[in-house]
């Protein structure tokens, strides 16, 4: 899953690298300025897809195959309805969103050209994430990885073709991303049809079931809102950062890509924790959940320390993938950003474990509250620190958000474990 997430990052990284190197710093800033808006909308869809797979993994752990297929069918209905609605809204109001965020004039059109294509291809992203989620819920994380590698390669090739041969600029990078996501989604669909008969739906499975939809919504909506609530804080920060100019936007874009690349295994451990907790909850093995959590925390903490060393020593070098070495001022900003964020990677690692674990145990509302804490912390930084401290204030936004979320998530986890332990012992 970690390798898969790294390749998933290649979708946006390929866009950023090729745009930054072959189109220019302004184009890099244009793509980067859409990141928080992208996270708000597509993160909601990704959260829905991830949340819907939790009841599927719980049914699988409880060996309830009929209930699992019913969840699969109804999750498809809900995903298509939600994605369709979001696609219409974003296509109508994207330009207004960018204006509200004070996107600098010199990068505004490029930002619009990029994100409007991404939003138009939202169904492609939903298709892959939902189908790969089905496979992972049943324990197959390798096949989605292989398909993701294929589509990542397709994305890089199409980026080069659209930008270097057809000179389509940032819009071409977006088209490459959408087409490659279609490839990964179709590959997952064909594989499920041929190799996973347990997921084949009959007429009874495809019945619209209100009770099942409510169960799916209880897991999917809190997870989706958690993504989007976190993104609201990021939008507030992005709006404040946009006032500092396109050079700062480009620096934070490149630094964010470096950070996302090295921290992907943390995200993967979190996604693993959700499935692990869901399956063991279905099997009513609370002791095994707690035992696994101790190992999750240990592994993620060790990796966080490793990441901290990497970004502090080599972050500037890695950022040369996105920015030319002649951009010395931007490279210095990137170094400063990565040092501030890297120092707080342990709190970030713990967020992934505890948030996803709570979701896997069916306590998605607690994870959503943590997202609200992140949003409040980021907004507080935007309103109080960016204006007096400038770029340094922006560097402090993530650490503040991570610490705020952990202060809620960690006590909540122990509270939930006590609840579940009492519940199953009573049986």
């Amino acid at each position: 899953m970690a390798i898969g997430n790294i390749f998933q990052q290649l979708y946006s990284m390929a866009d950023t690298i090729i745009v930054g190197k072959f189109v220019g710093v302004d184009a890099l800033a244009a793509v980067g300025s859409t990141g928080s808006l992208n996270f708000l909308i597509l993160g909601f869809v990704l959260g829905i897809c991830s949340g819907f797979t939790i009841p599927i993994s719980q049914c699988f752990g409880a060996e309830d195959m009929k209930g699992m297929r019913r969840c699969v069918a109804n999750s498809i209905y809900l995903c298509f309805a939600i994605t369709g609605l979001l696609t219409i809204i974003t296509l109508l109001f994207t330009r207004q969103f960018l204006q509200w965020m004070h996107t600098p004039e010199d990068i505004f059109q490029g930002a619009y050209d990029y994100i409007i294509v991404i939003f138009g291809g939202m169904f492609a992203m939903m298709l892959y994430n939902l189908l790969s989620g089905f496979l992972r819920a049943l324990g197959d994380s390798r096949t989605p990885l292989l398909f993701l590698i294929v589509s990542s390669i397709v994305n890089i090739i199409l980026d080069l073709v659209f930008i270097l041969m057809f000179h389509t600029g940032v819009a071409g990078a977006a088209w490459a991303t959408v087409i490659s996501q279609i490839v990964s989604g179709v590959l997952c669909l064909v594989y499920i049809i041929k190799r996973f008969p347990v997921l084949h739906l009959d007429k009874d499975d495809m019945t619209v079931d209100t009770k099942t939809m409510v169960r799916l919504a209880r897991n999917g909506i809190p997870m989706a809102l958690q993504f989007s609530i976190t993104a609201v804080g990021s939008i507030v920060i992005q709006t404040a950062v946009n006032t500092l100019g396109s050079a700062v936007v480009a620096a934070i874009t490149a630094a964010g890509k470096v950070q996302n690349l090295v921290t992907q295994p943390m995200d993967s451990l979190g996604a693993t924790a959700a499935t692990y907790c869901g399956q063991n909850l279905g099997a009513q093995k609370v002791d095994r959940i707690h035992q696994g959590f101790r190992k999750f925390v240990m592994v993620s903490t060790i990796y966080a320390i490793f990441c901290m060393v990497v970004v502090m020593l080599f972050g500037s070098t890695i950022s040369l993938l996105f920015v030319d070495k002649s951009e010395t001022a931007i490279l210095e900003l990137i170094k400063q950003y990565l040092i501030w964020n890297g120092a707080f990677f342990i709190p970030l690692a713990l967020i992934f474990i505890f948030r996803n674990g709570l979701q896997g145990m069916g306590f998605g509302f607690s994870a959503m509250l943590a997202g609200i804490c992140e949003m409040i912390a980021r907004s507080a930084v935007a309103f109080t620190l960016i204006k007096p401290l400038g770029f340094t204030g922006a560097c402090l936004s993530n650490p503040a958000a991570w610490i705020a979320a952990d202060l809620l998530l960690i006590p909540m986890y122990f509270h939930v474990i006590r609840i579940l332990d009492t519940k199953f012992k009573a049986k």
Side-chain angles (χ1 to χ4, degrees):
M1 288 182 69
I3 297 171
N5 279 345
I6 289 172
F7 273 94
Q8 184 120 36
Q9 282 295 313
L10 285 178
Y11 278 120
S12 58
M13 279 188 64
D15 294 346
T16 308
I17 292 170
I18 295 170
V19 165
K21 288 291 187 179
F22 297 108
V23 186
V25 172
D26 283 350
L28 173 64
V31 173
S33 68
T34 66
S36 56
L37 182 58
N38 193 337
F39 184 35
L40 174 68
I41 303 300
L42 298 189
F44 188 90
V45 176
L46 178 60
I48 282 285
C49 293
S50 299
F52 285 174
T53 61
I54 290 173
I56 294 171
S57 67
Q58 291 172 347
C59 289
F60 185 71
E63 300 183 355
D64 178 12
M65 299 302 143
K66 190 69 176 177
M68 182 193 70
R69 285 191 292 271
R70 191 179 303 115
C71 286
V72 166
N74 283 271
S75 66
I76 293 171
Y77 302 148
L78 288 173
C79 272
F80 271 87
I82 292 169
T83 303
L85 179 62
L86 286 176
T87 300
I88 294 171
I89 292 172
T90 52
L91 292 179
L92 290 176
F93 297 106
T94 292
R95 186 174 294 275
Q96 187 64 55
F97 291 153
L98 292 174
Q99 290 171 348
W100 286 338
M101 293 173 63
H102 303 297
T103 305
E105 289 185 10
D106 56 338
I107 62 173
F108 186 94
Q109 190 58 46
Y112 179 80
D113 292 343
Y114 179 81
I115 198 63
I116 199 69
V117 175
I118 295 295
F119 286 158
M122 202 181 303
F123 274 102
M125 189 219 44
M126 181 274 293
L127 179 67
Y128 169 75
N129 282 284
L130 185 63
L131 296 181
S132 65
F134 293 163
L135 293 173
R136 291 190 183 104
L138 273 60
D140 184 358
S141 60
R142 291 176 183 159
T143 303
L145 165 62
L146 295 176
F147 295 156
L148 194 57
I149 291 173
V150 171
S151 61
S152 296
I153 294 171
V154 171
N155 183 44
I156 293 170
I157 294 172
L158 291 178
D159 270 331
L160 293 171
V161 169
F162 285 141
I163 292 175
L164 298 184
M165 293 181 61
F166 298 148
H167 306 290
T168 53
V170 293
W175 278 111
T177 296
V178 171
I179 294 171
S180 58
Q181 287 175 334
I182 292 173
V183 170
S184 60
V186 170
L187 287 173
C188 280
L189 180 60
V190 172
Y191 184 78
I192 287 173
I193 292 172
K194 291 189 174 183
R195 297 294 181 88
F196 270 83
V198 71
L199 289 174
H200 293 181
L201 307 177
D202 58 30
K203 187 175 180 180
D204 289 339
D205 298 327
M206 298 175 68
T207 302
V208 176
D209 183 39
T210 304
K211 185 177 179 180
T212 300
M213 284 191 171
V214 169
R215 182 183 180 186
L216 290 165
R218 284 176 178 170
N219 286 273
I221 291 178
M223 188 175 273
L225 289 176
Q226 165 225 303
F227 275 89
S228 293
I229 288 169
T230 302
V232 169
S234 298
I235 287 177
V236 174
I237 288 292
Q238 184 70 59
T239 302
V241 166
N242 285 344
T243 64
L244 301 177
S246 56
V248 171
V249 175
I252 292 180
T253 299
K257 295 300 180 185
V258 174
Q259 180 173 301
N260 288 341
L261 178 63
V262 300
T263 60
Q264 278 309 301
M266 299 181 195
D267 193 3
S268 303
L269 276 170
T272 304
T275 301
Y276 175 89
C277 291
Q279 290 182 346
N280 282 283
L281 181 69
Q284 299 185 9
K285 297 179 179 179
V286 180
D287 289 343
R288 195 163 187 268
I289 292 175
H290 197 48
Q291 180 185 17
F293 245 87
R294 288 195 294 268
K295 291 183 169 61
F296 278 125
V297 170
M298 179 183 69
V299 172
S300 62
T301 300
I302 292 171
Y303 185 75
I305 295 171
F306 170 76
C307 285
M308 177 177 65
V309 174
V310 169
V311 298
M312 288 185 175
L313 294 180
F314 307 109
S316 296
T317 303
I318 299 172
S319 66
L320 292 175
L321 288 169
F322 312 100
V323 179
D324 191 87
K325 62 182 179 180
S326 63
E327 301 286 350
T328 54
I330 292 179
L331 288 171
E332 186 58 35
L333 293 175
I334 292 172
K335 180 179 179 180
Q336 181 182 344
Y337 185 91
L338 289 174
I339 288 174
W340 274 110
N341 280 255
F344 293 88
F345 275 172
I346 291 177
L348 172 62
L350 295 179
I351 285 178
F352 287 123
I353 299 303
F354 285 94
R355 181 174 62 198
N356 284 278
L358 286 169
Q359 288 164 339
M361 289 183 280
F363 289 80
F365 183 73
S366 300
M368 187 179 71
L369 289 178
I372 294 174
C373 288
E374 287 189 66
M375 179 191 70
I376 293 172
R378 282 197 174 92
S379 300
V381 169
F383 289 125
T384 61
L385 296 182
I386 289 183
K387 188 172 182 179
L389 299 181
F391 183 75
T392 301
C395 293
L396 295 173
S397 64
N398 281 334
W402 299 337
I403 292 172
D406 281 332
L407 289 175
L408 176 67
L409 285 170
I410 295 174
M412 185 63 71
Y413 162 76
F414 288 102
H415 176 65
V416 166
I417 285 293
R418 286 194 296 270
I419 291 174
L420 294 177
D421 196 41
T422 301
K423 175 182 177 181
F424 291 127
K425 280 183 179 178
K427 291 184 178 181

